[in-house]
Amino acid sequence: MAGILFIISAPSGSGKSTLVAELRKQVSGIDFAISWTTRAPRGSEEDGREYHFTAREEFLRMVDAGMFLEHAEVFGKMYGTSRQSLDEALAAGHDLMLDIDVQGAAQVRAKMPEAVSIFVVPPNPKVLRTRLRNRSRAEGVMNEGELYRRLSEASHEIEKYREYSYILINDVLDRTVAQLEAIVLAERYYRNGEPIAYRSRRTLEVAAACLLSNSQERLKPVLEAFGIDGSPDQQQLLFGAESDDD
Ligand code: ADP
Ligand code: 5GP
């Protein structure tokens, strides 16, 4: 059976890694590509588990050798998906999930237009800031400058939402995990005829509601909160004086 290529992108801190980790626990037959990066490990990250950590020189050598399916510079560091990850998943007939940024997603889509792409957004900038701060505190690694950088990039990334097949608004975690799972099962059903054993109709409805074409109403307040499509208040919302806890 042909594997499906899934792409998931989100502004940093939206909860993408958390969602993917939950999906891994609940759905089998899907591989998760381990990217290469030149950034340093964060918190409890281990080489070969979350990422393959490498030096910039080595990364550029790999680029020259054509080893990457896609690569991009994100927050001043290089990130890339090896061709090997894709080849191995295809050979095994598995689905493959790529957790990559909006630049990498565009590169993969150009090469593989059949890929199913999913964009995750946080409900608003204040929640994003709180999540980034909480993660940073828990890991004791990311400084305020890095946090500011990731926050300021968020609305530029969110502007690309129209390029994706599905939209997830990661508000209540359990609900978003269920939506992500429904998307994977629905795509398997439509593309490969794989039966959905449990509550199939509901699963297909949940997935359909997350299609880009059905997400405009849900997205409207999110886009407004990030100052996209008109609102001028983005900077104040991102960097305003409110405390994290309010
Ligand atoms: P990303 O991979 O998108 O950068 P993470 O998965 O690391 O983001 O999540 C950022 C922080 O937000 C983490 O501390 C995580 O536990 C928390 N988080 C993720 N999703 C939710 C959610 N739905 N509600 C509350 N906190 C969340
Ligand atoms: P982080 O440093 O928070 O782990 O990731 C920062 C950003 O890099 C996220 O948007 C993440 O999706 C992206 N990223 C992670 N791996 C890859 C990759 O292999 N390629 C690309 N293009 N982006 C990646």
Side-chain angles (χ1 to χ4, degrees), residues 10-18 131 134-135 170-173:
S12 179
S14 305
K16 177 167 40 83
S17 313
T18 308
R131 286 186 190 164
N134 288 346
R135 184 175 74 186
N170 183 21
D171 193 346
V172 179
L173 185 62

Side-chain angles (χ1 to χ4, degrees), residues 13-16 18-19 22 26 120-124 127 131 167-181 206 210 218 222:
S14 305
K16 177 167 40 83
T18 308
L19 292 168
E22 288 302 314
Q26 293 178 27
V120 182
V121 291
N124 59 57
V127 165
R131 286 186 190 164
I167 305 292
L168 295 180
I169 300 172
N170 183 21
D171 193 346
V172 179
L173 185 62
D174 288 352
R175 190 171 58 204
T176 320
V177 171
Q179 291 169 337
L180 180 56
E181 188 180 354
V206 169
C210 299
R218 282 185 308 129
V222 179

Side-chain angles (χ1 to χ4, degrees), residues 6 24 36 64 67 77 87 108 112 130 210-211 217-218 238 243:
F6 292 95
R24 291 183 86 139
W36 292 77
D64 287 344
M67 291 170 74
K77 303 291 177 188
D87 294 345
V108 175
M112 311 182 76
T130 304
C210 299
L211 282 166
E217 275 307 304
R218 282 185 308 129
L238 284 175
S243 88

Side-chain angles (χ1 to χ4, degrees), residues 218-236:
R218 282 185 308 129
L219 258 178
K220 209 167 164 229
V222 179
L223 298 177
E224 279 173 9
F226 277 94
I228 298 167
D229 293 353
S231 164
D233 293 337
Q234 174 209 351
Q235 292 303 318
Q236 161 147 18

Side-chain angles (χ1 to χ4, degrees), residues 65-82:
M67 291 170 74
F68 289 116
L69 173 67
E70 63 73 35
H71 67 278
E73 185 160 348
V74 189
F75 310 123
K77 303 291 177 188
M78 303 303 296
Y79 293 80
T81 309
S82 70

Side-chain angles (χ1 to χ4, degrees), residues 30-148:
I30 184 161
D31 292 350
F32 294 82
I34 301 175
S35 298
W36 292 77
T37 182
T38 63
R39 83 151 164 76
R42 213 168 51 203
S44 60
E45 287 177 340
E46 278 179 28
D47 189 28
R49 192 176 64 190
E50 286 81 8
Y51 283 105
H52 299 291
F53 296 98
T54 190
R56 196 175 181 98
E57 252 174 32
E58 174 61 11
F59 190 99
L60 296 176
R61 193 196 61 72
M62 291 172 72
V63 172
D64 287 344
M67 291 170 74
F68 289 116
L69 173 67
E70 63 73 35
H71 67 278
E73 185 160 348
V74 189
F75 310 123
K77 303 291 177 188
M78 303 303 296
Y79 293 80
T81 309
S82 70
R83 289 185 187 279
Q84 196 185 347
S85 314
L86 180 67
D87 294 345
E88 284 175 1
L90 289 180
H94 289 174
D95 297 340
L96 180 68
M97 175 74 76
L98 307 182
D99 166 346
I100 57 180
D101 85 316
V102 293
Q103 306 167 77
Q107 293 173 39
V108 175
R109 248 187 252 109
K111 287 179 188 163
M112 311 182 76
E114 73 283 6
V116 177
S117 57
I118 303 161
F119 195 70
V120 182
V121 291
N124 59 57
K126 207 167 142 190
V127 165
L128 180 61
R129 188 178 57 180
T130 304
R131 286 186 190 164
L132 276 169
R133 282 239 164 86
N134 288 346
R135 184 175 74 186
S136 149
R137 278 185 196 130
E139 293 175 335
V141 172
M142 201 162 73
N143 59 32
E144 279 294 308
E146 184 62 25
L147 186 130
Y148 181 91

